[in-house]
């Protein structure tokens, strides 16, 4: 029973980590707390659902459309809500307020379009196969989710470390003024960062929608709160920290629901955050140099 719940926690936690990865990337590079990240996650899930139901596309295509929709929506948010503030050199708090407004607009649009209904993926979107492994009931979907998260995290790290575009992102994260002196255009870097952030959220939205077979207009709000816990627990701007903290939160949440009470899940999660910050104020993988320095070194 315990091993089965640990497996379930790893699956849920890996998606939490993927969602928080885009959140922490955006914060580490642009110093923005994007409060509309949950709405991007939600619209990515709806895009994948639309692809699977209306277009009758297979799982991989629905996942790709969810990623594309999340990435493009995130870029649109940058153009509308964040770029004008950067041009005016507005304080960071202005970006938070602007993203809250954008989040409310996106939520209201989704609420009106769906009439607050909970929508579900068709049962044939992904084959239901269950394997017995050392006494554990392992679903094929669980294995695929873990594999997708691993591939996306490895791909993101490779992109940041091994490509010219990734090195530009790390340079802007370290110092935007220095990047300008080196001939790097911060606007093109911002486009990449917002698209990557939104694409990760879109993929996470489709995966969560499949895991719980539930897509609705408020599905991103609880995850946004947990994303705060994940990036603080893992360390601001830390990519490995976001993944490890996401796994930890997922496991703790599933074990709490299974052995204590669903109502205590958030109590236990935030208590864990409190205890970790007492021991390590910068988080598990954080540093005193902040999130930008973390991304720049990754």
């Amino acid at each position: 029973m315990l091993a089965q719940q640990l497996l379930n926690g790893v699956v849920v936690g890996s998606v939490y980590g993927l969602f928080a990865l885009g959140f922490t990337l955006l914060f580490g590079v642009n110093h923005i707390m994007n409060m509309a990240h949950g709405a991007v996650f939600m619209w990515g899930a709806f895009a994948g659902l639309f692809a699977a139901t209306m277009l009758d596309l297979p799982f991989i295509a629905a996942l790709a459309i969810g990623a594309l929709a999340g990435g493009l929506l995130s870029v649109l948010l940058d153009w509308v809500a964040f770029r004008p503030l950067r041009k005016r050199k507005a304080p960071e708090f202005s970006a938070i307020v602007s993203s809250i407004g954008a989040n409310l607009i996106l939520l209201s649009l989704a609420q009106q379009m769906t009439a607050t209904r909970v929508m579900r993926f068709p049962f044939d979107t992904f084959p239901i196969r269950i394997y017995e492994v050392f006494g554990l009931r392992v679903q094929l979907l669980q294995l695929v989710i873990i594999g997708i998260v691993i591939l996306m995290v490895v791909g993101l790290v490779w992109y940041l470390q091994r490509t010219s575009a990734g090195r530009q992102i790390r340079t802007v994260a370290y110092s935007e003024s220095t990047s300008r002196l080196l001939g790097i255009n911060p606007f093109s870097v911002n486009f990449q960062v917002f698209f990557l952030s939104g694409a990760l959220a879109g993929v996470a939205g489709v995966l969560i929608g499949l895991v719980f077979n539930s897509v609705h207009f408020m599905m991103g709000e609880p995850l946004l709160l947990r994303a705060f816990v994940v990036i603080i627990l893992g360390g601001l701007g830390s990519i490995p920290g976001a993944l490890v903290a996401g796994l930890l939160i997922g496991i703790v949440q599933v074990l709490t629901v299974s052995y204590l009470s669903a109502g205590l899940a958030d109590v236990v999660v935030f208590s864990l955050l409190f205890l970790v910050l007492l021991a390590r104020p910068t988080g598990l993988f954080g540093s005193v140099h902040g999130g930008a320095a973390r991304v720049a070194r990754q």
Side-chain angles (χ1 to χ4, degrees), residues 9-234:
V10 168
V11 173
V12 174
S14 62
V15 181
Y16 285 174
L18 189 64
F19 175 81
L21 200 57
F23 196 70
T24 196
L25 177 67
L26 197 57
F27 177 80
V29 177
N30 295 94
H31 317 292
I32 290 174
M33 283 288 186
N34 184 10
M35 304 302 293
H37 196 64
V40 174
F41 163 90
M42 174 265 296
W43 277 101
F46 273 117
L49 178 67
F50 174 81
T53 54
M54 300 296 183
L55 303 180
D56 197 26
L57 294 178
F59 165 70
I60 293 298
L63 195 68
I65 288 179
L68 180 62
L72 293 178
L73 179 58
S74 184
V75 170
L76 179 62
L77 282 174
D78 177 39
W79 289 347
V80 174
F82 300 119
R83 180 174 291 189
L85 297 177
R86 286 199 301 272
K87 289 182 177 180
R88 295 182 176 87
K89 296 182 179 181
E92 294 178 8
F93 182 72
S94 299
I96 295 176
V97 175
S98 181
S99 67
I100 291 174
N103 180 64
L104 293 175
I105 291 173
L106 292 173
L107 288 180
S108 297
L109 288 174
Q111 183 181 15
Q112 294 298 321
M113 291 179 64
T114 62
T116 69
R117 290 177 298 152
V118 176
M119 307 180 74
R120 307 187 188 282
F121 282 90
F123 286 106
D124 60 349
T125 301
F126 194 88
I128 301 175
R129 295 177 187 171
I130 300 177
Y131 306 100
E132 292 283 343
V133 182
F134 300 112
L136 297 178
R137 292 172 58 85
V138 182
Q139 297 181 30
L140 177 61
L141 179 59
Q142 292 177 318
L143 297 177
V144 169
I145 286 174
I146 293 174
I148 288 173
V149 171
I150 291 174
L151 286 176
M152 295 200 72
V153 171
V154 171
L156 178 63
V157 172
W158 176 84
Y159 184 79
L160 293 175
Q161 289 283 354
R162 301 297 182 183
T163 67
S164 175
R167 286 189 288 271
Q168 291 179 10
I169 290 174
R170 290 188 287 124
T171 303
V172 172
Y174 183 76
S175 173
E176 184 172 322
S177 58
T178 301
S179 69
R180 291 181 184 275
L181 293 175
L182 295 174
I184 298 172
N185 182 4
F187 292 108
S188 65
V189 170
N190 290 332
F191 177 89
Q192 295 177 60
V193 172
F194 272 90
F195 184 85
L196 288 172
S197 173
L200 291 171
V203 170
V206 175
L207 294 180
I208 283 290
L210 277 171
V211 168
F212 297 105
N213 198 16
S214 172
V215 179
H216 56 93
F217 78 100
M218 287 295 292
M219 65 183 293
E221 298 310 289
L223 243 68
L224 183 63
L225 184 61
R226 292 189 180 98
F228 275 109
V229 178
V230 168
I231 65 171
I232 294 172
L233 189 63

Side-chain angles (χ1 to χ4, degrees), residues 263-278:
L264 292 176
D266 286 339
V267 175
V268 174
V269 166
F270 281 96
S271 297
L272 175 63
L273 174 64
F274 177 73
L275 293 175
V276 170
L277 290 181
L278 284 179

